[in-house]
Amino acid sequence: MRKIMRWARAVARKVRADTGMTTSEYAVGTIAACAFAAVLYKVVTSAPVIAQLQSLLKGALDAKF
């Protein structure tokens, strides 16, 4: 009985072991990262964000010490 229990535990450990991502997981992760980068680029290059960044920089550079 103990041999069977040890064998079952060993099989369970091997099944649960995650050695890394497969190629399809890398592909999905890469696509998601590219989509996020595209959305972030669109947001940062939008007119309201550029105006806010410019006013923030102008205020920082014109600060009185």
Side-chain angles (χ1 to χ4, degrees):
M1 183 69 174
R2 287 184 186 200
K3 267 188 170 179
I4 294 172
M5 291 300 288
R6 272 188 257 150
W7 176 81
R9 285 188 195 124
V11 169
R13 276 193 298 269
K14 287 181 182 179
V15 169
R16 279 187 260 144
D18 188 12
T19 58
M21 292 194 304
T22 62
T23 304
S24 61
E25 289 170 330
Y26 277 116
V28 171
T30 302
I31 290 170
C34 290
F36 180 72
V39 170
L40 186 61
Y41 177 77
K42 282 293 199 180
V43 169
V44 171
T45 58
S46 67
V49 174
I50 288 176
Q52 283 289 3
L53 287 174
Q54 286 176 342
S55 72
L56 179 71
L57 287 173
K58 183 177 184 200
L61 293 175
D62 291 339
K64 303 219 184 324
F65 293 102

